Every structure is written in structure tokens, then in C-alpha cells.
Amino acid sequence: GIGRLAKDEWGGEVKIHIDGARIFNAAISLGVSVGELCEGADSVTFCLSKGLGAPMGAVLVGDQEFIRLARRARKKLGGGMRQAGVMAAMGMYALENHVQRLAEDHERAKRLASGLHDMGFWLPRGGKVDTNVVFFGLPEDSKIKKEELPHLLFEKYGVKIAGGYSSGGKLFRLVTHMDVDDEGVEKAIEGIASLCIN
């Protein structure tokens, strides 16, 4: 696992924490368990809302003493929450029902990448996508400027896109999730193509 690799590299003297915001996406893509990925780590956090679809929440995992200290720090910083059981129930539902469906998000992201790549958009790694995140850049002969794409794409097609990635802010980021279906993927490809190259 990631933790074991890090400990081997640093001689096991450093505590290893894994920020596993998208650890379930990584596990599904690699075909391994989250436990295997995190083996050897001292602590792990993972997000319940990103790919798993819970309305909010994250989980911190570690040994008993670590969790005791984390709870103490949270309390000192005023991080308590009433009715946390309701949120926990939503998180449990997401863990029990949405992990395997992440593969659908990955397939949709691959479709997005393939569609954009085939139309001449630049994608890192030649368009290879492993999970649910797609980065792309506009073709050199794009009809619009990179600064215009997010606004126009949302205004005309209802597709939200983030820009400003990489040096010079040339890349855009698309993320598939449980609220993006096949029709949404086609709409995004059509909208980007219509605005930039057609």
C-alpha cells in the first residue's frame, strides 16, 4: 500500500497520513481494496461527498490514541455537531451503495476524454483517463478564448466546468459523478465542441 511504500522510503520513523479524498475512485480504478491502498499508513481521511454522493462528511481513520487526540483537538476548536447521526446514516448509505457505481463515473469520464481528444482538444497523457477527472485544453484554433468557455458553456448548455489548471491556466477540469448521466456527457461534449470548433 501507499503507507508501506512511504515507510519503506523513510525508514518507518515518520507517521504517514493519507489524504484519501478520492481513495475509493483510486481503488475501483486499480481493482484493489481501499485497505490494500492504505496498508501501512498511520491514518487516513476520506470524503463521503465527492464520488460517493453523501450530502456532506468525511471520515478519519487511525488507531485508538490517534482518534482520541483528534476528538480532543476537534472539541478544542469547536468542531462538534448536533444531530451527527443523521449525517452518519447518509454516509453509511453512500459507503454501502455507491462505491461500486464509481466505475460508471470512470467510464463516463473516459467517454468525455475520448470525445474531446477525437475532436482535437489537447488532453494530458494522450487522453488516458483513470478515474472520474478529465483535464483538457482548447485547440490552438479555438473560436473562443479560454476565459470565455466556463461562462458560455454554463449559460448555453448548463454544464459547469472549472478552469485555470496548469501553468498559464490553460487546462480545464471536468468531473463525472452520480448526478452526471450519459446524456450529460454527450451534452458536455456537444457544448464544448459547438463553442470551440464548430
Side-chain angles (χ1 to χ4, degrees):
I2 299 166
R4 181 71 48 225
L5 288 172
K7 288 201 180 221
D8 289 347
E9 180 70 24
W10 291 312
E13 297 177 21
V14 176
K15 295 281 187 185
I16 303 299
H17 174 76
I18 296 176
D19 176 358
R22 297 182 190 280
I23 196 81
F24 286 94
N25 287 95
I28 292 294
S29 177
L30 295 169
V32 299
S33 72
V34 171
E36 288 175 83
L37 282 178
C38 297
E39 182 186 349
D42 297 290
S43 59
V44 179
T45 53
F46 61 88
C47 183
L48 295 168
S49 62
K50 286 190 175 156
L52 296 178
M56 64 183 292
V59 175
L60 175 66
V61 180
D63 66 27
Q64 190 172 1
E65 179 61 8
F66 176 79
I67 296 299
R68 185 189 71 76
L69 292 171
R71 285 183 174 149
R72 185 174 171 197
R74 182 192 67 195
K75 192 167 189 169
K76 281 184 177 181
L77 297 171
M81 181 182 210
R82 293 191 183 273
Q83 307 303 329
V86 174
M87 288 299 138
M90 292 178 200
M92 288 298 296
Y93 182 87
L95 285 169
E96 292 169 357
N97 295 281
H98 296 166
V99 172
Q100 294 305 315
R101 63 147 304 284
L102 291 173
E104 297 170 24
D105 297 340
H106 299 176
E107 287 306 312
R108 289 186 176 108
K110 289 173 184 173
R111 170 67 189 109
L112 269 170
S114 173
L116 293 173
H117 189 261
D118 290 349
M119 288 188 279
F121 289 84
W122 185 84
L123 282 86
R125 302 173 50 205
K128 184 176 186 306
V129 173
D130 297 314
T131 62
N132 66 324
V133 181
V134 178
F135 288 97
F136 74 94
L138 301 184
E140 287 186 20
D141 60 349
S142 175
K143 295 187 316 186
I144 63 172
K145 296 177 184 172
K146 66 181 184 211
E147 295 81 11
E148 298 174 296
L149 182 59
H151 171 74
L152 291 174
L153 190 59
F154 183 69
E155 181 182 278
K156 295 184 181 217
Y157 294 90
V159 175
K160 291 182 183 178
I161 188 172
Y165 295 90
S166 79
S167 61
K170 295 179 181 177
L171 295 183
F172 294 92
R173 183 176 85 154
L174 294 164
V175 179
T176 56
H177 50 79
M178 67 186 309
D179 295 324
V180 177
D181 58 13
D182 293 333
E183 183 180 326
V185 167
E186 296 307 318
K187 187 176 184 181
I189 294 169
E190 175 193 332
I192 294 167
S194 175
L195 291 168
C196 298
I197 62 174
N198 292 341

